[in-house]
Amino acid sequence: MSAPQASRPRIAVVGAAAAGLAAAEGLRRLGWDGEISLVGDEPHPPYDRPPLSKQVLSGTWEPERTALRDADQLAALGLDLRLGTRAVAYDPAHRALTLDDAGRTVLRCAGVIVATGVVPRTLPGGDTAEGLHVLRTLDDALALRERLAVSGRRLAVVGSGVLGAEAAAVARALGHDVTLIGTEDTVMGRVLGPEVGRLLADVHRAHGVTLRTGQAVTGIRREAGRATGAVLADGTVVEADDVLLAVGSVPAVDWLRGPGAEAAGLDLSDGLRCDEYCAAAPGLYGAGDVARWYHPVLGREVRIEHRMNAGEQGLAAARNLLSELDPERFGERRPFTPVPYFWSDQYDMKLQAHGVPAGADRIEVRVLGKDPLRLAALYGTGERATGILALGLPPRQTRSLRALVAVPTPWPEAVTRLTETVGT
């Protein structure tokens, strides 16, 4: 059943987190005076996710502080805000978006921006149990925070990537007994390489985290419906009061699958495949964690799950969609070519990375003086520099390092400039 359609043309933004909100705000700022439907499957107004594994989990922030905009700011956008509502289908040929509300509403749209993000991976079997956690939403963070509010917990963190490392640091700082389990011998090594990964592993050990590296988790031990530990591939069990699964995520694109998507040629194999303008099909654009797009400067497709990219890409998708709908009014489309950026806070460390460190086949690390926690690392693939990491560096040096990956830079030149910038 379809609801009566608005007389004004409509753009629907599916996903009400940072990318979706940026898209909606961009549409208004750029002059779209039609309807904007912002659809979010959570009941909460748009909120920021990076604090969930840090300030919210630790209890230093209350949930309200994560709000991206207050009620007045949202009202000023004049949105058709549909929270607690999930999009379940999209027909690209007819630009028809189906929602799972009581009326099974179908929205006819001039355009759609997909910003549905990702969902956490689980272990094979994927079943749930009390005390078994993921950490993606505000409710996830509050559930784990409630458990960590009781002293003396044993927390097993499965996954030693960014999320697992941040959660382990918070739980340890709260005084809990933390075991960090990963298939690699390092922490965040898949993103930052073995040398930096080993350094981070040493930092966690120094703070009292037990590391079980080189170990896959094959299952969760349960007693009376409650998780009581993680079962490792070698048969041993890490006993725990709570288990956090931080084993990556998958793009939330299942709702896009169907005959209509196939007819339109949508590629959903690793997120929503988009071109350099963030377009997946006429009138359909992607933004944020869910979008895999061709980055002209990097010369390949990328899908980036970082907060900064979400905001920038939401705005870019909005701009290019408007340009497609009315180029005379909104101008030509522009390729989306950001310098990716992410940061991570663990204990008293702040890691900042520009570009794409992951997947590098060459890494140069420069340590400043005798402090191993003050360093810069340069990452490259083939003959070009692709990413830079700054740890414990002054802001001025960190900003200077960004220039090494803002434009294509030959590897030898980038190494020379790294040395000159860091001064070692």
Side-chain angles (χ1 to χ4, degrees):
M1 179 181 296
S2 299
Q5 300 300 300
S7 58
R8 295 193 299 166
R10 178 194 305 273
I11 292 176
V13 180
V14 186
L21 178 64
E25 290 183 325
L27 291 169
R28 281 287 181 253
R29 190 182 315 141
L30 293 166
W32 176 254
D33 51 8
E35 294 281 342
I36 301 175
S37 295
L38 181 60
V39 181
D41 59 356
E42 294 184 61
H44 310 291
Y47 62 86
D48 217 5
R49 294 188 192 278
L52 300 184
S53 58
K54 299 181 272 288
Q55 293 92 342
V56 173
L57 190 60
S58 68
T60 56
W61 282 23
E62 291 306 314
E64 295 76 15
R65 193 168 171 182
T66 65
L68 289 169
R69 302 292 181 269
D70 62 30
D72 291 341
Q73 291 170 320
L74 287 176
L77 294 173
L79 301 175
D80 167 32
L81 187 58
R82 298 173 185 249
L83 299 177
T85 303
R86 189 180 298 273
V88 293
Y90 179 62
D91 179 350
H94 299 93
R95 303 195 182 192
L97 179 70
T98 304
L99 308 180
D100 73 344
D101 55 8
R104 198 75 173 179
T105 299
V106 177
L107 300 176
R108 304 291 178 184
C109 304
V112 170
I113 297 174
V114 176
T116 41
V118 295
V119 294
R121 289 185 190 276
T122 59
L123 294 176
D127 51 346
T128 60
E130 188 179 356
L132 181 60
H133 304 265
V134 294
L135 186 44
R136 173 65 185 167
T137 68
L138 179 58
D139 292 340
D140 294 337
L142 293 176
L144 182 55
R145 174 170 121 170
E146 182 178 356
R147 293 287 298 171
L148 297 182
V150 178
S151 62
R153 295 284 191 194
R154 297 170 301 170
L155 176 67
V157 180
V158 183
S160 56
V162 178
L163 182 65
E166 289 181 346
V170 167
R172 187 66 198 125
L174 292 172
H176 299 290
D177 182 0
V178 180
T179 301
L180 183 58
I181 307 164
T183 56
E184 298 189 348
D185 293 330
T186 64
V187 172
M188 293 177 60
R190 189 168 299 169
V191 176
L192 300 178
E195 186 171 343
V196 176
R198 284 192 290 271
L199 172 67
L200 296 180
D202 289 342
V203 170
H204 280 272
R205 288 192 184 97
H207 281 82
V209 172
T210 300
L211 263 67
R212 299 295 299 269
T213 58
Q215 290 280 353
V217 171
T218 58
I220 301 300
R221 193 177 70 176
R222 295 168 171 79
E223 293 178 9
R226 178 165 193 87
T228 59
V231 183
L232 307 187
D234 64 5
T236 60
V237 176
V238 175
E239 296 187 353
D241 301 303
D242 291 271
V243 178
L244 170 63
L245 298 181
V247 291
S249 56
V250 293
V253 294
D254 283 350
W255 64 279
L256 285 166
R257 302 187 192 281
E262 295 175 7
L266 297 188
D267 181 348
L268 304 172
S269 55
D270 177 25
L272 177 63
R273 182 179 182 276
C274 303
D275 64 14
E276 65 267 40
Y277 304 106
C278 309
L284 181 65
Y285 287 69
D289 298 4
V290 74
R292 171 170 55 94
W293 90 101
Y294 180 76
H295 192 303
V297 175
L298 297 175
R300 60 187 175 93
E301 293 179 346
V302 292
R303 189 174 63 77
I304 296 175
E305 299 182 18
H306 300 321
R307 170 65 177 83
M308 187 70 75
N309 183 72
E312 293 177 346
Q313 196 165 19
L315 177 58
R319 178 188 301 113
N320 285 335
L321 172 58
L322 292 178
S323 295
E324 178 191 312
L325 295 177
D326 190 346
E328 192 169 312
R329 178 182 177 191
F330 295 106
E332 296 296 317
R333 298 193 301 171
R334 305 178 203 166
F336 179 56
T337 59
V339 178
Y341 169 76
F342 80 91
W343 75 95
S344 177
D345 296 325
Q346 296 169 38
Y347 310 107
D348 57 353
M349 297 187 305
K350 179 176 283 294
L351 298 88
Q352 300 182 78
H354 296 279
V356 182
D361 57 26
R362 53 183 63 189
I363 304 172
E364 287 282 338
V365 179
R366 298 284 186 273
V367 177
L368 278 72
K370 297 181 179 179
D371 185 351
L373 297 182
R374 294 186 67 214
L375 63 82
L378 179 69
Y379 301 81
T381 301
E383 298 304 316
R384 288 170 45 180
T386 58
I388 192 81
L389 168 73
L391 173 60
L393 298 186
R396 181 180 57 80
Q397 280 185 316
T398 301
R399 287 193 297 272
S400 298
L401 292 170
R402 178 186 180 278
L404 298 181
V405 293
V407 296
T409 304
W411 179 254
E413 178 185 337
V415 172
T416 299
R417 290 170 59 188
L418 169 72
T419 302
E420 292 172 349
T421 302
V422 177
T424 61

